[in-house]
Amino acid sequence: MTSSSATLSSSSFSSTSALSSSKFRFKFPSFSRTSSLSSRAKPFTASSSTTTHNISGEIRHCSLSMRRGLAFTATLPFLLPLHEFVDSVAAKAVESGSGQSEYLRIKEEIIKVVTKGKAAGVLRLVFHDAGTYEMDENSGGMNGSIVYELERPENVGLKKSLKVLEKAKKEIEAIQSVSWADMIAVGGAEAVSICGGPKIPVTLDRLDSGEPDPEGKMPEESLDASGLKQCFRRKGFSTQELVALSGAHTLGSKGFGSPVAFDNSYFKILLEKPWNSSAGMTSMIGLPSDRAIVEDDECLRWITKYADDQNMFFEDFKNAYMKLVNCGAKLKSM
């Protein structure tokens, strides 16, 4: 995959050996490999302002928080209908007061450094950080641990995207503290918006992990549709959410329309199955996981809906993204 790709994958979510020199991929499933790395890796240290917090002993869960208000438990996204869960998040994300000013300051600095050409890499960070989440094991998730995982081959190229956000983080931390987990969550949302996608409200107050997440938790790009659906269920996501999140592949250079436009081209092109053509480079379009989901009846139903209705895709992607960036989050004390 080329260096500007925004594909979702488990290689984006797995672990492995030493840093590869190949260009990075953004995908949500990805390929897995056996690793020769130690269980603890060196953190990303782009500047002296970068900090992490030791948060051992706290409970990992999909949760939401603002400085004032309720901290939701891990089960909330799964007990409430998705639209109710998202409405709760959105209401807190637009809370007035100091929390809102902090959120706006983060957005302002991110917009200064994230261009359309850099958006795919920044969005890729979200899936690589959050995609390690395992609901039953209560491990992984949106916790900034990606800063310790840059030597994993599936994360090749992510250091450049972290450096982009680090510039904004340095400016923000001259005024207020901000975690990598919050920076990445807001950064991915702004990357989508910059490229014409939906505006996604994001809550703050995530803490950063002090160590890497377990390896081998990312969905493998070689999985068939059944395997992908099982993998996503372990992370608390439905087939609909799997398909909606896969729509992030519309960004980047994997052949799904303009590499800098967030739209529903991904789904339209999936239905055409261009890789079956003998013409030119069409066989290079998409990943094995993309080709797998379009052959699955349940996935195909959502692919067809999103190809026909971009507004529906935008709404469902927004909802799934908001859920994703709260999975595994540890929150500051209220």
Side-chain angles (χ1 to χ4, degrees), residues 9-21:
S9 124
S10 92
S11 80
S12 1
F13 293 127
S14 65
S15 80
T16 58
S17 55
L19 181 65
S20 159
S21 62

Side-chain angles (χ1 to χ4, degrees), residues 216-229:
K217 301 301 183 181
M218 300 282 287
E220 298 179 20
E221 69 176 27
S222 60
L223 290 173
D224 60 15
S226 176
L228 287 170
K229 289 191 288 186

Side-chain angles (χ1 to χ4, degrees), residues 23-223:
K23 296 181 180 180
F24 72 81
R25 304 178 181 179
F26 169 54
K27 33 188 188 174
F28 187 82
S30 81
F31 55 94
S32 61
R33 306 172 187 167
T34 55
S35 173
S36 60
L37 293 175
S38 63
S39 60
R40 301 180 71 89
K42 295 181 180 179
F44 172 70
T45 53
S47 83
S48 60
S49 65
T50 301
T51 58
T52 57
H53 306 271
N54 186 334
I55 51 177
S56 59
E58 299 186 31
I59 299 175
R60 293 179 177 270
H61 54 262
C62 284
S63 61
L64 310 166
S65 169
M66 295 297 288
R67 293 184 183 280
R68 297 169 300 281
L70 296 175
F72 290 85
T73 64
T75 56
L76 181 60
F78 314 111
L79 293 177
L80 292 179
L82 182 57
H83 70 277
E84 292 183 20
F85 165 72
V86 170
D87 286 346
S88 298
V89 179
K92 291 183 176 296
V94 298
E95 179 183 357
S96 62
S98 61
Q100 176 71 350
S101 65
E102 291 174 7
Y103 177 58
L104 293 176
R105 186 175 296 118
I106 293 171
K107 287 183 61 174
E108 179 182 356
E109 294 301 329
I110 286 174
I111 291 171
K112 291 178 183 178
V113 298
V114 178
T115 63
K116 287 185 176 181
K118 296 174 181 176
V122 173
L123 183 55
R124 179 180 175 234
L125 279 171
V126 176
F127 290 93
H128 285 237
D129 193 37
T132 56
Y133 180 65
E134 290 287 327
M135 191 165 54
D136 290 343
E137 297 176 9
N138 229 2
S139 65
M142 198 73 207
N143 57 17
S145 66
I146 190 69
V147 301
Y148 299 98
E149 300 158 7
L150 297 174
E151 300 304 311
R152 298 178 181 179
E154 69 271 18
N155 292 334
V156 170
L158 286 178
K159 185 177 291 186
K160 292 188 295 184
S161 298
L162 275 173
K163 285 183 177 179
V164 170
L165 291 184
E166 193 274 338
K167 294 177 183 178
K169 190 173 190 289
K170 184 176 181 180
E171 293 298 319
I172 296 164
E173 290 192 326
I175 302 173
Q176 68 192 53
S177 63
V178 59
S179 67
W180 270 116
D182 280 350
M183 284 295 299
I184 293 169
V186 178
E190 291 308 301
V192 170
S193 178
I194 287 166
C195 292
K199 296 187 181 301
I200 308 174
V202 176
T203 58
L204 302 180
D205 284 351
R206 298 169 189 78
L207 290 172
D208 284 334
S209 174
E211 59 185 9
D213 284 340
E215 300 187 36
K217 301 301 183 181
M218 300 282 287
E220 298 179 20
E221 69 176 27
S222 60
L223 290 173

